[in-house]
Amino acid sequence: MAEKILIVDDDIDSLKLIGLMLQRHGYEVVAANAGEQAIARAASELPDLIILDVMMPDMDGYEVTQRLRDDASTRDIPIIMFTAKTLIDDKVKAFELGADDYLTKPTHPAELASRVKAILARNPHKEAEKASTTRAVGVIGVKGGVGTSTVAANLAAALMQAGEEPVLADFCLGYGTLGLYLGNTKAASMASLLSKQPAELNERTVEDQLTRHSSGLKMLLSSTRPKESLLHYAPETAAELVKTLKKLSTSVILDLGSQYNPAIGRVARSLDQLLVIVEPNRVALSMARELFQSLEADGLDRAKLSVAVVNRTQSSMQTPWQEIEQALAQEIKAIISAAPDLAYQSLEAGIPIVLFRPNSIAASQLMKLAEDFRVQMNAD
């Protein structure tokens, strides 16, 4: 169902212009051209958002906002104040009365559309609905160098290409190669958030630390500063961070590295799926069995576990996939072919393989893995 927006402005031309623009973005639009009418329409229509002009003849936007906030039925409806007034005191007054955003006329249609989308995304009712459907997938390697970060980045990029709005989060404090892989050399946002108490985490504090890749992918990154690897953060903080990330996206992909500890174990239990990355050799399989035992001992449901085999080199001297499944007593979810040259080129470009060379065999396998998770998420 289309989200409903109430536009309030005594200028009929503005009503028509804004209304037409919002309808083109798929919103249902209702209108009012005076303050009393706006209050009545808000109570009867209960819109998802109100765009409210400040300067109106019968009742200004400030009084309208005050009365809407005093009414229990309209108290939680987000309001964007829209006015030609440019004084900072006017903006402060709007926020003090309960406005969620403030735009000065004239405003470019693209900016208005962006603000509308952002406010609707923060609607607490929408957030609760989104959090109930968002799925978090962790990616953990049985040892370093098996391609954990590469798989995590490509999973997130593939989900974005499929129409999701994922967040890619790097939990490898002090070993944040994910940011380097994606061309970001100044990441420290993960450490900043994990240093907080659980109660200090909310959508605003977490969203402020997100950065974007050139492709548009949202990321929460760790740095490669060695001192950050010494940070001892509360497992409850990590779990609360995952919970908050799920409110900000349609899917969350976590790079958990290969360092297993109580905090990572707590994160793993809060996930919907945990993908374990192995290489097709005896050492990696032995380490995978040990990891499985630790995860299960910490209370992780075995049904949440899945395995992906990443071939780092092209060789006939590798363990066949049937033997891997038998050794781990676990079905293999994906096998990623060796593509060292492509992996190097993708790394140098700072672009995930599925975006850099989408027609390659490795990209197809990674996209298939992402699609399998997507189908599973939608089915759950």
Side-chain angles (χ1 to χ4, degrees):
M1 182 181 295
E3 290 161 306
K4 185 186 297 184
I5 299 176
L6 170 62
I7 311 169
V8 185
D9 199 320
D10 64 319
D11 185 332
I12 302 301
D13 290 335
S14 292
L15 280 179
K16 291 180 179 178
L17 183 64
I18 297 171
L20 182 60
M21 184 276 292
L22 292 173
Q23 287 174 339
R24 287 174 177 169
H25 281 80
Y27 300 111
E28 179 185 349
V29 173
V30 292
N33 58 14
E36 288 288 358
Q37 186 184 27
I39 293 169
R41 295 299 297 270
S44 62
E45 298 283 350
L46 294 178
D48 297 290
L49 172 67
I50 299 172
I51 297 177
L52 176 63
D53 186 35
V54 171
M55 301 171 66
M56 292 183 293
D58 68 326
M59 182 189 306
D60 66 27
Y62 299 124
E63 185 176 349
V64 173
T65 299
Q66 183 67 67
R67 289 179 57 176
L68 289 172
R69 293 296 181 246
D70 288 342
D71 187 333
S73 66
T74 59
R75 182 176 299 145
D76 296 326
I77 299 174
I79 297 174
I80 296 179
M81 302 285 277
F82 199 51
T83 180
K85 290 188 174 184
T86 59
L87 295 178
I88 189 65
D89 288 347
D90 297 317
K91 187 174 183 179
V92 170
K93 183 178 180 180
F95 285 126
E96 287 178 343
L97 289 171
D100 296 86
D101 206 344
Y102 187 100
L103 285 172
T104 303
K105 296 180 179 179
T107 298
H108 193 281
E111 181 181 6
L112 177 58
S114 176
R115 298 291 187 93
V116 167
K117 183 178 180 181
I119 292 294
L120 288 172
R122 293 203 298 266
N123 186 325
H125 301 295
K126 297 295 179 182
E127 287 174 352
E129 181 180 342
K130 179 183 285 188
S132 68
T133 58
T134 298
R135 295 293 180 264
V137 177
V139 184
I140 188 168
V142 297
K143 65 185 185 68
V146 295
T148 306
S149 296
T150 299
V151 171
N154 280 279
L155 270 181
L159 288 171
M160 183 183 70
Q161 289 292 88
E164 298 278 338
E165 296 180 1
V167 170
L168 174 62
D170 183 357
F171 271 80
C172 306
L173 295 179
Y175 304 93
T177 55
L178 187 56
L180 296 179
Y181 169 38
L182 296 174
N184 187 308
T185 59
K186 299 180 179 179
S189 48
M190 180 62 79
S192 173
L193 292 174
L194 290 178
S195 299
K196 299 180 181 295
Q197 295 298 314
E200 297 179 272
L201 296 176
N202 55 53
E203 293 90 334
R204 180 66 62 86
T205 59
V206 174
E207 191 170 26
D208 286 346
Q209 296 295 335
L210 297 182
T211 185
R212 282 189 184 269
H213 184 254
S214 59
S215 64
L217 178 63
K218 291 190 291 187
M219 306 178 295
L220 179 61
L221 300 174
S222 291
S223 79
T224 54
R225 300 187 186 99
K227 286 186 178 180
E228 287 187 5
S229 66
L230 303 177
L231 175 65
H232 295 288
Y233 56 91
E236 293 75 16
T237 298
E240 184 63 28
L241 178 55
V242 174
K243 180 180 177 182
T244 306
L245 285 171
K246 291 175 71 172
K247 296 178 181 179
L248 297 172
S249 60
T250 60
S251 53
V252 181
I253 304 297
L254 283 69
D255 180 359
L256 301 178
S258 58
Q259 303 293 320
Y260 189 76
N261 55 50
I264 293 297
R266 179 64 183 85
V267 170
R269 293 198 300 277
S270 70
L271 301 175
D272 299 282
Q273 286 288 314
L274 181 64
L275 179 65
V276 179
I277 307 299
V278 303
E279 286 181 313
N281 59 54
R282 177 182 55 81
V283 172
L285 296 182
S286 177
M287 296 179 75
R289 287 193 294 269
E290 294 288 344
L291 177 60
F292 285 178
Q293 290 175 11
S294 295
L295 289 166
E296 290 183 282
D298 283 343
L300 184 72
D301 183 356
R302 181 78 179 227
K304 291 185 176 182
L305 281 175
S306 54
V307 174
V309 178
V310 175
N311 293 285
R312 305 287 288 175
T313 60
Q314 296 176 344
S315 171
S316 60
M317 304 296 291
Q318 294 180 335
T319 306
W321 66 267
Q322 298 95 331
E323 293 185 22
I324 296 175
E325 288 188 335
Q326 185 176 6
L328 299 180
Q330 185 81 30
E331 182 181 357
I332 295 174
K333 196 173 188 69
I335 298 176
I336 311 301
S337 299
D341 291 342
L342 176 57
Y344 175 79
Q345 293 165 6
S346 168
L347 178 66
E348 288 298 295
I351 301 173
I353 292 170
V354 297
L355 303 179
F356 182 73
R357 193 76 59 78
N359 295 324
S360 64
I361 294 174
S364 297
Q365 294 163 338
L366 288 161
M367 287 189 283
K368 175 63 166 56
L369 176 60
E371 182 60 23
D372 286 346
F373 275 124
R374 188 164 179 259
V375 169
Q376 185 174 353
M377 290 173 189
N378 293 334
D380 288 345

